[in-house]
Structures are given as C-alpha cells and as structure tokens.
Amino acid sequence: MKMVALKAEFQRELIIYRRYLFSSVSDLALTILMFMGIFWGSNSISKGIIGQSLSALIIGFTLWTTIQNTVSMLGSNTMNNAKSGILQQLYLMPISSEKLFFNRSMVNITISLGQSVIVCLALMLFTGQSINFTIMVIWPTIFSLVTLFGLGYLIISLVLRFKRIGSFLAICQYLYLGILLTQFEKADLLVKNMANFLPLVPMVSWMRLIISGSAYNFKYYLSFSAFNSIFWLLLGLFIFEKVNKAVKKQGSLSFY
C-alpha cells in the first residue's frame, strides 16, 4: 500500500507536468532570469561587486529554488485542495493523513531536486562560472532534505489551521532568498551561531565552504547541521500531529 500510494503521487505529478509543460518550462525560465537579472544588474554597476562570491550566490539561489518548489508548492497545492474540496476527500482515503503528506513531500522534494539541478547547470552556463562539487557535499545535502521535510509539515499545518496563507508564503519565500544569499560563514562568531538556528543556514554555509575550497571546522558544521535538521523535523512533525488531530476533532476541514 505504501509503495502504491507513493507511485501514484509520482504519476500524478508527472501527468501534471506533461499536461502543463509550457507552464512548467516557463517557471524554470523565470527562475533563471531572476538570478541573471541580479547578475547582470550587479555587473552593470561594478564588475567586481559579485565576481568573487558568484559560486556562493549560485548555490544559495539554487537551494532557494528547492525550497520554493517544495515547501511553497506543497503549501499552495494543499491550500488549493482545501479550497476545491479535494482535501476532505483525501482524508477519506484508506491511507492515513500522515502517510499521505509524507508521500507528497517525498515526491515534491524529488522532483524539486531535479529542477534545482537544471537551474544550477543553467546558471553555471550563462554566468560562465564552473562549480566543482565534491563527495563532501553529500553531508549538507542530506541534512537539508531532512530539514525540508520538517518545513513541509509546518506549512501543511498552517494550511490546515488557517486555510489561506498565500501572502504569508510569498513573504517567507522572498525573505528566505535574502537569508540564503547572505554568507553567514563569513560573519562574526555570535552572528554565525545565531544564524545557524535558522532552517538550512548551516547546511548552505557548509556547502559554500566545501565548494569554494575554504578551510572550515568539520565538527562545527556537522553538529549544527545535524541539530538544525533534527530540530526542524521534530518541530514540524509535532505541530502537524497537534493540528491534524485538532482539525479532525473539530471537523473544520470543510470550513474554507
């Protein structure tokens, strides 16, 4: 049953992408143009303003697209399902809501990783900046995926509780773009330590340090990344369980 439900989610997403291929390609093109606008704009002001940190900016922007395509899209899809009445029907399926949203998160993250790879390759091609990925990048990548699961459950909880959170998602989405583009690894120790409690920040900083070949404290980033991913995953699961039980008890799924 688990594998059948997961396969069905994959098939549903692939059907949507094929059916609305123009929209999917346009979204990718718009994302790439957004970064190129930043790149061309900075170079028109001063060619040295962004050159040395270009690799770091590409990594931060690529991970932001992953967040945008997973957490934000998961929240938007759940919100649309609630609005159209599909969400109530999904809760009547012979599968728990926990497994249902786990499958959706898994599918969203998998597809979003593929999109992010395309975006990263396109940015390297258009900017002429090559990025050498090493085997060590696996560590922050794994921790980032775990954190994304936690953030996904948090967003789903907000949708179940408040129904319409489109404006909140948009604010968080662009606020986090600024956070991920900020190189906290170069900040003072106090600022760096505080920033590492934000979702994904230690993993992004760690990834940038690995790719740039800079010296760094492996134990420091490993411990902060592990704590960050476990904390946000557990927090997301805890809040989801509380909200999920509350909406079932109150019968408020249909009150859109």
Side-chain angles (χ1 to χ4, degrees):
M1 175 63 74
K2 293 181 180 180
M3 294 304 298
V4 172
L6 184 60
K7 183 179 178 181
E9 286 290 341
F10 268 112
Q11 290 176 338
R12 184 181 69 88
E13 286 295 325
L14 291 176
I15 290 172
I16 291 174
Y17 271 91
R18 286 200 303 267
R19 183 168 296 175
Y20 306 106
L21 183 61
F22 181 79
S23 177
S24 302
V25 174
S26 298
D27 289 340
L28 279 176
L30 182 61
T31 301
I32 295 170
L33 283 175
M34 185 184 299
F35 181 88
M36 294 309 299
I38 299 172
F39 176 72
W40 288 325
S42 63
N43 278 345
S44 66
I45 299 173
S46 172
K47 290 187 177 181
I49 194 172
I50 200 173
Q52 294 182 348
S53 59
L54 183 55
S55 296
L57 289 175
I58 291 176
I59 293 302
F61 190 84
T62 301
L63 290 174
W64 175 74
T65 63
T66 307
I67 295 176
Q68 182 186 19
N69 293 327
T70 52
V71 178
S72 296
M73 289 303 297
L74 184 62
S76 299
N77 290 338
T78 306
M79 192 163 51
N80 291 332
N81 287 160
K83 184 177 181 180
S84 60
I86 296 176
L87 187 61
Q88 298 93 297
Q89 298 176 33
L90 293 175
Y91 267 76
L92 298 176
M93 292 175 60
I95 181 175
S96 67
S97 53
E98 292 84 359
K99 292 178 182 178
L100 170 67
F101 288 119
F102 174 82
N103 290 340
R104 289 201 161 185
S105 297
M106 178 72 75
V107 171
N108 272 340
I109 289 176
T110 303
I111 294 177
S112 297
L113 281 176
Q115 293 177 327
S116 298
V117 170
I118 295 173
V119 169
C120 188
L121 292 175
L123 294 180
M124 287 192 291
L125 175 65
F126 292 136
T127 61
Q129 178 72 35
S130 61
I131 300 177
N132 297 319
F133 292 94
T134 65
I135 193 68
M136 288 298 295
V137 175
I138 293 177
W139 285 101
T141 301
I142 292 174
F143 288 126
S144 297
L145 295 179
V146 174
T147 305
L148 285 175
F149 267 105
L151 294 178
Y153 279 113
L154 280 174
I155 294 299
I156 291 171
S157 301
L158 290 175
V159 174
L160 294 177
R161 175 62 181 84
F162 300 107
K163 303 299 187 294
R164 297 191 180 188
I165 61 167
S167 299
F168 175 77
L169 281 177
I171 293 172
C172 290
Q173 180 177 316
Y174 290 103
L175 176 64
Y176 228 73
L177 174 60
I179 292 175
L180 292 181
L181 292 182
T182 302
Q183 299 181 49
F184 287 108
E185 62 271 19
K186 296 182 179 180
D188 295 335
L189 183 61
L190 178 60
V191 175
K192 181 166 65 174
N193 287 342
M194 292 177 63
N196 283 339
F197 287 99
L198 295 172
L200 296 172
V201 168
M203 291 77 103
V204 177
S205 297
W206 189 5
M207 197 174 296
R208 283 194 290 246
L209 289 169
I210 293 172
I211 291 171
S212 64
S214 303
Y216 64 93
N217 189 328
F218 176 79
K219 292 183 179 179
Y220 174 86
Y221 283 101
L222 178 64
S223 57
F224 263 112
S225 297
F227 174 81
N228 190 289
S229 60
I230 294 172
F231 173 79
W232 288 104
L233 176 62
L234 293 179
L235 180 64
L237 289 172
F238 175 77
I239 293 179
F240 174 77
E241 284 296 322
K242 292 292 184 181
V243 173
N244 194 36
K245 290 179 180 178
V247 296
K248 287 180 179 179
K249 184 177 181 180
Q250 298 168 4
S252 60
L253 281 173
S254 59
F255 296 143
Y256 197 84

